[in-house]
Every structure is written in structure tokens, then in C-alpha cells.
Amino acid sequence: GAVVSQHPSWVICKSGTSVKIECRSLDFQATTMFWYRQFPKQSLMLMATSNEGSKATYEQGVEKDKFLINHASLTLSTLTVTSAHPEDSSFYICSARDPYRERGTQHFGDGTRLSIL
Amino acid sequence: GQQLNQSPQSMFIQEGEDVSMNCTSSSIFNTWLWYKQDPGEGPVLLIALYKAGELTSNGRLTAQFGITRKDSFLNISASIPSDVGIYFCAGQLMASYDKVIFGPGTSLSVIP
């Protein structure tokens, strides 16, 4: 089945640091990837849609200068949390869509736990 | 914006019991999806529904796409301890390439 890999799985860093999270589709080419944020005991909230070779589309209320998204290849999208602060601590999950299989169903990575001290 | 409502919010059941949870929306969805999430992991797709009225099974799980296109239910038969987790309904307003909107989730606990 389709596999999506996220790296790192968890990261702890100091306030003010920028953190990069990678999302890779391992056995398919993903023209579209999605980034979600999930706070404890809450649902997944879509942050942005990442399209290969073009600018990401951000959901309302998500700061594009704070959460930089790059989708430079068909198998890799990155999310960079710039100048992270404690309120950015959350579980970040990506998903990737295989347009040629299972009606383009999205497959999710295992998430990245980000803790800002 | 579009919002999904899920019920119940949480449930505690005895092993072997059947479980039913449902999801409603004020908007018409083109696709309904059911995911399960274990702690510290990403959600895993259980069942995808693409047509109004569609009834689909995946092992002990059965889900249906409501006729009105505004609701869906998920049933789990003969629950086992590994069914514990958070179950999310999710929908896509347009075609399958559209963004997925998640419901608030149902937390399931199974008592052995």
C-alpha cells in the first residue's frame, strides 16, 4: 500500500529556532500534499495544501510567513516552522495524494511531535 | 466554514459488543471517509465512500454514505481491545482531489 514517511518523528528545540519537517511519499508520486496540525485531544486541522512546483495554498488564519512550505519534487514536501515559539508546539501531520490509485485517496504520515521550550 | 459533527464524543464498551458512531454535516459532501488514529500516530484510512447510499464493509467495519449526502455512520461489530482509538469521520466537498475536512472524533475504549 501507499506509504508516506515523515521526518523527524519528534523534535524538541528552544524558542526562536526554525524547524524543518519533511514529508515523503515512498512508493508513489504525489502532486499534492497536505499539512495538518493537531493539538492534544483535538481533531486534525488543515494548514495548507502543497502543490508540486507551485506556491502552497494556506487555510484562513494560517500565517504563510510563519509556516513555510516547499514542494520541490513529486515525492517531497517540507514544512518549516520559522522562529518557533511554545504556542507552535503541536503534532504536525502530512498527507499525500496518489492521483493514480484509489481515486486519489490521501495517505497520512505518522506525524511529527514538535515541542518548543 | 464547513463543519462536521460526530457523535458520540466518547464511548466505553465491553469487548464483544457492537459499536455505532455517526457523522453529520450542514454541507453536502462528495466523499465520506472514516479514519482511525492511535496515540502518537497519523490517521489510517478504514473505509472510503463515494456514492450516496453506498454501504461498504472492511472486515468487522461497515460504513454507509447517507442518502442526503450530509451524513455517514460507522459500525464496528464484535469489538476487540485493539479497536481502541480515536475514530474520525472526514469528508471532501468536491471531487476526490479536494482537501479533507475532519470531524472532531469519537474516542473508543474497549473493556476486556
Side-chain angles (χ1 to χ4, degrees):
Chain A
V3 179
V4 174
S5 172
Q6 259 184 264
H7 178 80
S9 55
W10 62 273
V11 59
I12 303 173
C13 58
K14 293 181 179 179
S15 185
T17 306
S18 291
V19 179
K20 180 185 284 188
I21 303 170
E22 293 184 348
C23 180
R24 293 181 185 273
S25 55
L26 298 184
D27 58 350
F28 65 96
Q29 293 184 327
T31 52
T32 306
M33 291 185 175
F34 302 86
W35 288 96
Y36 295 82
R37 180 168 52 183
Q38 185 179 31
F39 291 108
K41 298 190 184 302
Q42 294 189 22
S43 187
L44 284 76
M45 298 300 296
L46 180 66
M47 298 175 67
T49 301
S50 169
N51 296 298
E52 188 267 337
S54 64
K55 290 184 180 179
T57 303
Y58 289 81
E59 294 298 300
Q60 192 173 6
V62 178
E63 301 173 59
K64 61 180 180 181
D65 295 329
K66 172 77 172 177
F67 300 98
L68 300 179
I69 292 172
N70 183 281
H71 193 157
S73 78
L74 286 171
T75 58
L76 174 64
S77 175
T78 60
L79 168 69
T80 301
V81 183
T82 61
S83 187
H85 293 285
E87 59 266 26
D88 298 321
S89 299
S90 188
F91 193 48
Y92 291 87
I93 308 172
C94 74
S95 70
R97 190 176 68 85
D98 182 349
Y100 301 109
R101 183 162 54 178
E102 297 172 24
R103 305 198 195 200
T105 301
Q106 293 181 30
H107 300 276
F108 285 80
D110 276 339
T112 296
R113 175 77 58 195
L114 175 62
S115 296
I116 308 298
L117 304 177
Chain B
Q2 295 78 25
Q3 191 171 8
L4 291 176
N5 301 302
Q6 239 179 294
S7 64
Q9 185 176 2
S10 62
M11 29 190 341
F12 293 81
I13 60 168
Q14 206 76 34
E15 182 178 358
E17 288 184 353
D18 297 342
V19 173
S20 184
M21 58 189 80
N22 75 301
C23 193
T24 60
S25 170
S26 57
S27 301
I28 292 175
F29 279 82
N30 191 61
T31 303
W32 283 95
L33 307 162
W34 285 93
Y35 288 89
K36 178 176 184 269
Q37 185 179 31
D38 292 327
E41 298 183 13
V44 174
L45 181 66
L46 299 174
I47 293 179
L49 302 160
Y50 301 104
K51 294 183 192 176
E54 180 181 352
L55 183 70
T56 298
S57 292
N58 177 8
R60 293 178 296 106
L61 278 61
T62 301
Q64 184 158 32
F65 191 142
I67 291 292
T68 65
R69 307 176 73 92
K70 293 183 177 182
D71 64 306
S72 177
F73 72 74
L74 174 71
N75 288 341
I76 305 173
S77 63
S79 59
I80 58 178
S82 61
D83 291 333
V84 167
I86 310 294
Y87 290 80
F88 290 102
C89 68
Q92 292 173 298
L93 289 169
M94 304 292 283
S96 59
Y97 53 79
D98 196 16
K99 60 186 179 183
V100 174
I101 300 168
F102 279 80
T106 292
S107 173
L108 177 64
S109 299
V110 179
I111 304 167

